[in-house]
Amino acid sequence: MMVTKREIEKLLIPVRGSKRIVFTNGCFDIIHAGHVDYLEKAKSLGDILIVGMNSDSSIRRIKGDKRPVIPQEYRAKVLSALKPVDYVVVFEEDTPLELIKVVKPDVLVKGGDWNVENIVGREFVESYGGEVKTIPFEYDISTSRIIERIIELYCG
């Protein structure tokens, strides 16, 4: 389900303390098997999986004017339909720190390509006893590599 920051805050009030809340974030531009595997593993760390998804403008600032390939409404629709995902919250900022402060997850998780020390929100989550984890990638795939392969096949 796609919700706003204000809505997720209200939804979490009755479950905080009784359910283990897991948070992750990303662009999720072209959703692939690696994303699905990662989200399944993230969900296994708790009861509720909240995914912070970068807005279109946030992705353009981070990855350049040619991204995202898929508009945020479509990305959010696909992401929210995945079985492990309970809530999708689009954020406009370049990092999810403000959203993490609203969610106050029990577990903050990122992919294995991140060093725990560099995960945005780590210090905040650890300050109240939350856990910060990484999940190793099982699939050798990425949105950037998919785009490169399409260009190679059709333009190259």
Side-chain angles (χ1 to χ4, degrees):
M1 171 187 300
M2 189 170 146
V3 295
T4 65
K5 279 186 207 176
R6 183 179 305 262
E7 290 169 330
I8 197 65
E9 190 171 29
K10 289 178 183 175
L11 287 165
L12 293 178
I13 290 170
V15 299
R16 196 174 299 282
S18 64
K19 301 276 187 185
R20 192 163 161 86
I21 299 166
V22 180
F23 179 89
T24 193
N25 68 281
C27 298
F28 299 97
D29 194 359
I30 298 174
I31 295 179
H32 51 70
H35 288 132
V36 175
D37 182 70
Y38 169 77
L39 293 168
E40 288 171 340
K41 289 175 179 167
K43 174 64 179 237
S44 75
L45 299 173
D47 303 303
I48 297 172
L49 177 60
I50 300 168
V51 179
M53 189 188 80
N54 292 74
S55 69
D56 290 350
S57 60
S58 173
I59 292 175
R60 277 192 290 278
R61 288 191 302 272
I62 296 166
K63 295 189 178 273
D65 289 339
K66 293 185 178 181
R67 298 280 300 274
V69 173
I70 310 296
Q72 71 188 35
E73 295 82 18
Y74 297 172
R75 290 184 288 121
K77 175 75 173 167
V78 172
L79 196 53
S80 65
L82 297 177
K83 186 177 180 179
V85 177
D86 295 294
Y87 300 104
V88 175
V89 184
V90 176
F91 64 94
E92 294 291 334
E93 301 82 12
D94 291 351
T95 75
L97 183 58
E98 293 309 311
L99 180 54
I100 291 167
K101 288 179 177 179
V102 169
V103 171
K104 199 174 178 185
D106 299 294
V107 183
L108 172 62
V109 65
K110 287 292 285 180
D113 56 336
W114 283 82
N115 291 325
V116 171
E117 302 79 37
N118 296 333
I119 295 175
V120 171
R122 176 189 59 82
E123 290 177 355
F124 173 73
V125 172
E126 288 177 344
S127 75
Y128 57 80
E131 299 176 69
V132 180
K133 298 181 177 248
T134 58
I135 295 174
F137 293 131
E138 295 293 322
Y139 292 82
D140 188 25
I141 189 169
S142 72
T143 296
S144 296
R145 293 218 326 263
I146 291 170
I147 292 168
E148 289 169 7
R149 180 73 174 136
I150 292 169
I151 291 169
E152 175 186 302
L153 286 171
Y154 295 100
C155 302

